Amino acid sequence: MIKKKLKPSVTQQSILISSLPDDLILSCVARVSRLYYPTLSLVSKSFRSLLASPELYKARSLLGRTESCLYVCLRLTPFKSNSWFTLCRKPHQTLTSKKKKKSSGYVLATVPIPHSPRAHLSGLVAVGSDIYNIGGCRKIYETPPSSSVWILDCMSHTWREAPSLPVEPMRLSASVLDGKIYVAGSKESLENLFEVFDTKTQTWDPESSIPCSKTKGIFLWSKSTCIDGKLHVVADRHGVVSPMGAVIAYNCKEGRWDMVEQNMECFKFSSSHCEIDNVLYCVLHGAIKWYDTKVRLWSRLKGLVKLPKFSHDACIKLADYGGKIAVLWVDESSYSGGKKNKIWCAEIALERRQNCEIWGEVEWFGHVLTVPSTCVLEKVLAVTV
């Protein structure tokens, strides 16, 4: 009688791995996609320590293995601190039923971040391997932003405090251009706030601060983006929040403000936006639209026939995922009982065609997380690690 060979247990595999030289383990893990790190962290405590070590990421950089990694900020229950998740690959699984649909192979895994500060959504931006939380604080119940600045190191998954904003904001929005973070907002006195943070020197640059007296409006909308080498900000013309708000642009090289043509309405009223290769993508009325400053027209992103129809704009978030669009949305009709919702994710490759149109190709999409119905999808960011 032929006996079947038994597969080694997880404990035996851990012992075999730990018996290898440290340099060899480091070299092997550095070649593995970051999408598998949440699963690898379950091997042992020493493996978890290795996955958060700076030596590992130095090795990844030397080997040319850096990649975009998606982080998702959720508020699972009201009046609680934010929870962070990262996109990862599922461990290999065999479906037991033929009726089950083929999985996308991706899930959102919890990121174990102790003592995470409250996130200020319009102040969350990604630079390199760090996520900056500008205007966040430790007080969960405080609604207005604070002057605090926190940085999440996405290699070690630890927070550190950075120099605070020079002034206390009432509203703010942060955008990134050439390694600098531009913060636009307003003070309680309804004066404009505009500060520049240099991520290389980790300082607020007083010489680079944009003269607020030259702006053509008050920054009450807390929405900004960088496109075409300029900082675009939604400003109110009359000093009160109204649909008459205009978009103004600051030319960082020439140091002047300009009014932007009236066809920026999609940006003003969109629920989420991202910039990829100098093209602005927005969500409006359940559709993804794009805007190129050369064409100066909004067009619907074509080729997304595989995606289901989006119901509520507020439940959709976009991010630049290594030159592709990552789309996350909440399906509120997932469960008839109304106690749980499903979060879905899609990765869209982009192609610019000869007629100046941009088409999208859905590479994959699927259900990545089940959450309580009270959960709010707040922000999606991509870092480079």
Side-chain angles (χ1 to χ4, degrees):
M1 182 177 178
I2 300 173
K3 293 183 178 180
K4 291 183 179 179
K5 291 182 179 180
L6 297 175
K7 291 183 179 180
S9 65
V10 175
T11 307
Q12 290 173 326
Q13 289 175 349
S14 301
I15 294 171
L16 289 171
I17 292 170
S18 60
S19 64
L20 296 173
D22 291 344
D23 290 345
L24 181 57
I25 295 174
L26 182 71
S27 179
C28 291
V29 176
R31 288 171 165 82
V32 176
S33 171
R34 182 62 150 57
L35 289 166
Y36 293 97
Y37 281 19
T39 302
L40 289 175
S41 67
L42 304 175
V43 172
S44 65
K45 288 183 179 180
S46 59
F47 239 69
R48 283 195 293 274
S49 178
L50 170 66
L51 295 174
S53 67
E55 291 78 18
L56 174 63
Y57 290 94
K58 286 179 184 176
R60 286 175 60 83
S61 180
L62 290 172
L63 292 167
R65 300 293 295 182
T66 55
E67 60 188 302
S68 290
C69 188
L70 208 63
Y71 279 75
V72 181
C73 180
L74 301 176
R75 189 182 296 276
L76 295 175
T77 53
F79 310 113
K80 295 291 183 180
S81 60
N82 302 98
S83 298
W84 288 88
F85 293 79
T86 185
L87 188 70
C88 68
R89 294 286 293 180
K90 289 180 182 178
H92 179 71
Q93 292 178 346
T94 304
L95 295 178
T96 56
S97 173
K98 293 182 180 179
K99 293 181 179 180
K100 289 185 179 180
K101 292 182 180 179
K102 185 179 179 182
S103 168
S104 67
Y106 293 88
V107 291
L108 286 178
T110 304
V111 179
I113 305 176
H115 313 297
S116 186
R118 179 186 67 88
H120 184 68
L121 306 183
S122 58
L124 284 173
V125 291
V127 183
S129 60
D130 293 327
I131 292 176
Y132 287 77
N133 180 14
I134 299 174
C137 65
R138 294 286 187 193
K139 299 176 183 178
I140 305 303
Y141 295 96
E142 187 178 350
T143 346
S146 71
S147 59
S148 299
V149 179
W150 295 87
I151 304 173
L152 174 61
D153 182 343
C154 294
M155 295 183 288
S156 62
H157 289 150
T158 55
W159 287 96
R160 68 181 185 272
E161 197 166 5
S164 299
L165 271 166
V167 293
E168 195 78 22
M170 182 179 70
R171 291 183 180 87
L172 65 82
S173 176
S175 299
V176 180
L177 181 62
D178 297 331
K180 292 186 177 181
I181 301 175
Y182 291 81
V183 180
S186 58
K187 310 172 191 176
E188 288 187 6
S189 59
L190 295 185
E191 294 178 286
N192 284 342
L193 174 156
F194 231 116
E195 301 292 340
V196 182
F197 187 79
D198 192 326
T199 59
K200 292 181 180 178
T201 62
Q202 291 289 292
T203 56
W204 293 99
D205 190 349
E207 295 182 2
S208 298
S209 295
I210 299 173
C212 297
S213 58
K214 296 181 181 180
T215 58
K216 301 174 181 179
I218 301 174
F219 306 147
L220 290 175
W221 284 51
S222 296
K223 183 178 284 191
S224 63
T225 190
C226 291
I227 183 176
D228 199 23
K230 299 177 183 178
L231 184 69
H232 290 66
V233 184
V234 178
D236 189 80
R237 296 175 179 174
H238 307 290
V240 293
V241 179
S242 71
M244 298 301 292
V247 178
I248 58 175
Y250 182 75
N251 190 317
C252 303
K253 293 182 179 179
E254 299 180 12
R256 75 164 192 271
W257 288 96
D258 295 315
M259 293 293 293
V260 178
E261 55 272 8
Q262 292 298 316
N263 55 1
M264 288 294 284
E265 281 79 5
C266 282
F267 168 61
K268 285 193 299 183
F269 300 110
S270 65
S271 62
S272 182
H273 67 273
C274 69
E275 182 268 334
I276 301 174
D277 293 334
N278 209 30
V279 176
L280 184 63
Y281 296 87
C282 292
V283 173
L284 190 66
H285 305 316
I288 300 175
K289 298 187 176 183
W290 60 271
Y291 176 83
D292 190 333
T293 53
K294 294 179 182 178
V295 181
R296 295 189 177 185
L297 290 172
W298 285 96
S299 300
R300 186 169 184 151
L301 187 63
K302 298 178 181 178
L304 307 183
V305 289
K306 294 181 183 178
L307 286 184
K309 290 184 178 180
F310 302 128
S311 53
H312 303 295
D313 285 5
C315 299
I316 311 165
K317 302 296 176 186
L318 305 181
D320 174 6
Y321 189 30
K324 301 176 183 179
I325 300 179
V327 188
L328 276 89
W329 69 96
V330 180
D331 183 2
E332 296 178 341
S333 61
S334 307
Y335 291 90
S336 56
K339 294 183 179 180
K340 300 229 173 159
N341 292 329
K342 284 184 178 180
I343 293 181
W344 292 71
C345 180
E347 186 175 350
I348 302 172
L350 301 168
E351 178 191 358
R352 187 182 283 273
R353 300 192 174 178
Q354 291 181 348
N355 55 2
C356 293
E357 285 192 340
I358 298 176
W359 282 64
E361 180 184 354
V362 180
E363 295 194 339
W364 65 267
F365 80 94
H367 163 228
V368 290
L369 186 67
T370 300
V371 294
S373 58
T374 54
C375 175
V376 178
L377 174 59
E378 300 200 303
K379 192 85 172 186
V380 180
L381 299 152
V383 299
T384 304
V385 289

